[in-house]
Amino acid sequence: MTDTLIRGTAPSPAPGRTPLPWLRKHRALTALCAVVAVALGLVVWGQLAPRGDAVPLSPGNAGPDGARAVTQILGRHGVDVHTAGTFEGAMAALGESSAATLLLYDRNGILDEPRLRDLAAAAGEVVVVTPRLETLTALDSGIRQAGVVPDDAPPLAPGCPLPDALAAGEISGSQGFVYDGGVSCYRPAGSAAGLLAVSVDGQLTVLGSTVVLGNGQLDERGHAALALRTLGKSPDLVWYLPSLEDVAASGSGQTLDELAPKWVRFLGPWLLVVALAAIAWRGRRLGPLVFEPLPVVVKAVETAEGRARMYHDAHAVDQARDNLRAGILVRLAAKLRPGPGASADTVIEAAARLLGRPAADIRDLLNHHPGSESRLVAWAQELDNLEKEVNSR
């Protein structure tokens, strides 16, 4: 009994201390708040999460033209990839290792000859992607540009004794450039230059396609194998993409006068001379305008039709009515011969006597004013009938 009383008189939890009853009562509001909280969390995470870039062949670019995939695969295979965006950063990264591999993709031709030579001297091996003529000249490796891969070219086979190319197999030549000199591989049909060229001493490798390293086609054909074997020879890889900071560091770039060939300075005066000669030639040939009457015969039907079209386009009902009235009076006067200087009333009375009709009817017909184009056509037909009656008598 005592236990029962004790259990019965035990204090119950104070109302409001637990949110369960409230949550059960407001289930819809609770679910909405949870969804909003999750959405806000995703938005905040998306804003604070590290983002990549859109620079071609950048290790931070996850797009089809980026190189995030190949750098991550190299990292998993024990290669430390050091990304450099400036010349000083690339030299510092190369200075930390005596045999580091340098990947250089200077697509805008920012680096000058002294800095290119410094990079080549500091690196154990240099891999240059689609280099320009100035870059190859500064590196002085005996490799030179030799054109582009045809658009309809099939996949390219190694065609050389290099172990890396033989292990990789076929690669795509899409949007690629070919180079001559050293040991060239992946040559299009009928060409002695290849998409991949290695100098005689093996210190410089020229790759004429960004597709081999890009994310978009890395898993196709032998792209991944060639990229990993070319860039993974050293435990340290410096991935250098020159930026605008390197332009500012090098001072002002070359002007248009410095970039243009020497013969361009004579082009302006020569064009001026040609323009003056063309003006003199054409001016003497044309001369002033001369008006000369020509013996042209225009049929009356064509003239009438032309005037009718003009009256129709201008909706000149009154002008057309006056011309039709004057024309029939002239023709009736020529037929009836009322005498020189006869007035319109004289012609009308002569026509009435000839036809045996009241002169007032003929006068009303000739003095009628049509109000529309359709009425004008009907009135012209009535005039034509009148003229035919007079001519038939």
Side-chain angles (χ1 to χ4, degrees), residues 248-260:
S250 62
S252 59
Q254 291 180 316
T255 62
L256 291 177
D257 294 337
E258 295 173 347
L259 293 174

Side-chain angles (χ1 to χ4, degrees), residues 165-184:
L166 293 174
E170 291 185 346
I171 64 173
S172 173
S174 175
Q175 303 176 1
F177 301 87
V178 292
Y179 298 88
D180 191 13
V183 181
S184 59

Side-chain angles (χ1 to χ4, degrees), residues 187-348:
R187 295 184 291 269
S191 175
L195 192 73
L196 178 69
V198 181
S199 61
V200 178
D201 57 3
Q203 298 299 314
L204 177 65
T205 300
V206 177
L207 181 60
S209 175
T210 59
V211 176
V212 177
L213 305 178
N215 300 325
Q217 302 183 27
L218 186 64
D219 58 342
E220 298 180 5
R221 298 184 174 87
H223 297 170
L226 182 62
L228 296 179
R229 294 179 68 92
T230 303
L231 301 177
K233 297 178 181 179
S234 173
D236 294 297
L237 173 64
V238 178
W239 199 286
Y240 178 32
L241 306 178
S243 62
L244 295 178
E245 297 181 12
D246 295 320
V247 176
S250 62
S252 59
Q254 291 180 316
T255 62
L256 291 177
D257 294 337
E258 295 173 347
L259 293 174
K262 295 181 179 180
W263 54 266
V264 173
R265 67 185 64 181
F266 302 102
L267 185 61
W270 173 249
L271 292 177
L272 180 60
V273 172
V274 172
L276 293 176
I279 293 173
W281 168 56
R282 298 297 295 182
R284 292 182 58 187
R285 180 179 180 182
L286 294 178
L289 296 177
V290 177
F291 294 95
E292 181 179 358
L294 298 178
V296 178
V297 178
V298 181
K299 295 181 180 180
V301 176
E302 297 179 359
T303 304
E305 291 180 354
R307 291 183 177 180
R309 292 192 187 97
M310 289 190 296
Y311 292 150
H312 175 71
D313 295 338
H315 302 284
V317 176
D318 294 337
Q319 182 67 28
R321 177 257 178 193
D322 294 340
N323 291 339
L324 291 174
R325 182 177 182 275
I328 192 174
L329 287 175
V330 171
R331 290 190 295 274
L332 291 178
K335 174 67 176 177
L336 300 175
R337 296 179 181 180
S343 63
D345 291 336
T346 304
V347 175
I348 292 173

Side-chain angles (χ1 to χ4, degrees), residues 13 38 75 83 104 108 112 121 146 158 190 203 212 216-217 274 290 310 336 351 362 364 381 390:
V38 172
T83 304
L104 176 63
N108 295 319
D112 52 11
Q203 298 299 314
V212 177
Q217 302 183 27
V274 172
V290 177
M310 289 190 296
L336 300 175
I362 299 177
D364 292 341
Q381 293 176 352
V390 172

